[in-house]
């Protein structure tokens, strides 16, 4: 019996993240940012989504389409550990895996029909780059939640937050519906964790803008929005 099989995307995501830089490190961290799941033409049958509107959340199985490295390593350096300490790849959520698949939990906002794109699912809290291929979706059920779970090194790093300052004249450039999401992304520190230069200007794409900022200690200041 063969164990190899090919995956083909059933959909792709529309999001405010044009590149992999600045994307939240996991789903659900930016619950005020909306994304859309747009199905490939072969999978646009409304019947395939019958009953989904009775659920509040989804699992998305997707691919790390921007990985440029080939192969994999049994150990990786998680950014939240400073980029210097190695952990087993299967003990992390590193994108560089034997099979470059990601898993995200998102909240369903609406399921609608678009004249050009067919059925579209609007969701909150996705951590996917715009255009990311989606290989499957599954409804989230309460049994998926384990409130007593122990999370290893992630228990000690997930509370890392920065104090964010954005001058009013800069913030005014961002649509109001995206402002809370931008604050949330910046507070989570979008830099690689091994970058500590307080004079360096960092930048990432957000919707139709480029956000430029610097960090000193736990204070992040946005210096330019283009």
């Amino acid at each position: 019996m063969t164990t190899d099989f090919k995956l083909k995307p059933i959909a792709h995501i529309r999001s405010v993240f044009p590149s992999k830089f600045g994307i939240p490190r996991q789903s659900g961290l930016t619950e005020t940012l909306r994304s859309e799941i747009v199905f490939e033409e072969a999978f646009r049958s409304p019947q395939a989504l019958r009953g989904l509107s009775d659920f509040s959340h989804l699992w998305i199985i997707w691919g790390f389409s921007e990985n440029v490295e080939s192969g994999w390593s049994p150990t990786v350096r998680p950014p939240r550990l400073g980029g210097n300490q190695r952990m087993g790849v299967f003990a992390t959520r590193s994108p560089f895996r034997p099979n470059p698949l990601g898993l995200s939990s998102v909240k369903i906002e609406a399921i609608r029909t678009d004249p050009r794109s067919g059925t579209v699912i609007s969701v909150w809290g996705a951590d996917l780059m715009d255009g990311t291929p989606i290989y499957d979706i599954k409804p989230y059920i309460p049994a998926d939640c384990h409130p007593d779970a122990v999370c290893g090194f992630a228990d000690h790093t997930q509370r890392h937050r920065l104090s964010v300052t954005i001058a009013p004249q800069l913030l005014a450039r961002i649509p109001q519906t995206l402002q809370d999401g931008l604050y949330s992304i910046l507070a989570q520190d979008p830099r690689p964790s091994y970058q500590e230069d307080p004079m360096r200007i960092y930048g990432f794409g957000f919707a139709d803008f480029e956000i430029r900022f610097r960090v000193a200690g736990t204070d992040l200041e946005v210096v330019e929005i283009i």
Side-chain angles (χ1 to χ4, degrees):
M1 181 179 69
T2 180
T3 57
D4 293 333
F5 61 96
K6 293 182 178 180
L7 296 175
K8 58 182 177 181
I10 64 165
H12 64 275
I13 199 83
R14 290 177 182 160
S15 77
V16 297
F17 304 109
S19 71
K20 62 184 179 181
F21 299 104
I23 295 177
R25 288 181 168 85
Q26 66 183 51
S27 58
L29 294 180
T30 52
E31 296 180 341
T32 60
L33 289 180
R34 178 170 54 195
S35 302
E36 292 184 330
I37 298 172
V38 182
F39 288 88
E40 302 297 326
E41 188 171 358
F43 302 99
R44 290 179 181 175
S45 170
Q47 300 303 316
L49 298 179
R50 182 189 296 179
L52 185 62
S53 60
D54 295 330
F55 292 85
S56 64
H57 291 73
L58 278 180
W59 287 112
I60 303 176
I61 301 171
W62 50 277
F64 288 101
S65 56
E66 287 297 296
N67 280 7
V68 295
E69 297 183 13
S70 59
W72 69 286
S73 170
T75 61
V76 296
R77 296 181 294 178
R80 276 289 177 246
L81 293 179
N84 297 314
Q85 186 175 346
R86 286 194 170 272
M87 291 286 180
V89 65
F90 299 129
T92 74
R93 298 189 176 188
S94 168
F96 301 106
R97 321 182 68 79
N99 295 303
L101 296 176
L103 179 67
S104 298
S105 174
V106 297
K107 184 176 182 179
I108 300 173
E109 182 210 20
I111 302 174
R112 62 182 178 84
T113 300
D114 183 272
R116 299 182 60 183
S117 303
T119 303
V120 174
I121 306 176
S122 297
V123 298
W124 300 108
D127 55 340
L128 281 69
M129 185 185 73
D130 187 56
T132 293
I134 295 172
Y135 296 109
D136 203 1
I137 62 173
K138 299 177 185 292
Y140 178 101
I141 61 176
D144 294 336
C145 179
H146 302 281
D148 57 344
V150 177
C151 301
F153 68 85
D155 277 338
H156 307 290
T157 60
Q158 63 184 354
R159 297 178 183 85
H160 178 77
R161 291 290 186 272
L162 298 178
S163 176
V164 178
T165 300
I166 307 177
Q169 66 270 23
L170 293 178
L171 185 62
R173 295 178 57 86
I174 303 296
Q176 191 170 5
T177 56
L178 299 178
Q179 291 178 6
D180 286 346
L182 177 59
Y183 269 103
S184 179
I185 292 168
L186 293 169
Q188 295 162 38
D189 193 355
R191 301 173 302 165
S193 291
Y194 48 82
Q195 297 286 355
E196 297 289 347
D197 184 356
M199 302 304 295
R200 179 170 178 174
I201 303 298
Y202 302 89
F204 66 92
F206 179 77
D208 296 324
F209 305 92
E210 181 178 352
I211 311 299
R212 296 181 179 177
F213 64 94
R214 60 179 166 228
V215 180
T218 59
D219 296 320
L220 182 150
E221 179 188 9
V222 173
V223 297
E224 194 173 16
I225 295 179
I226 301 175

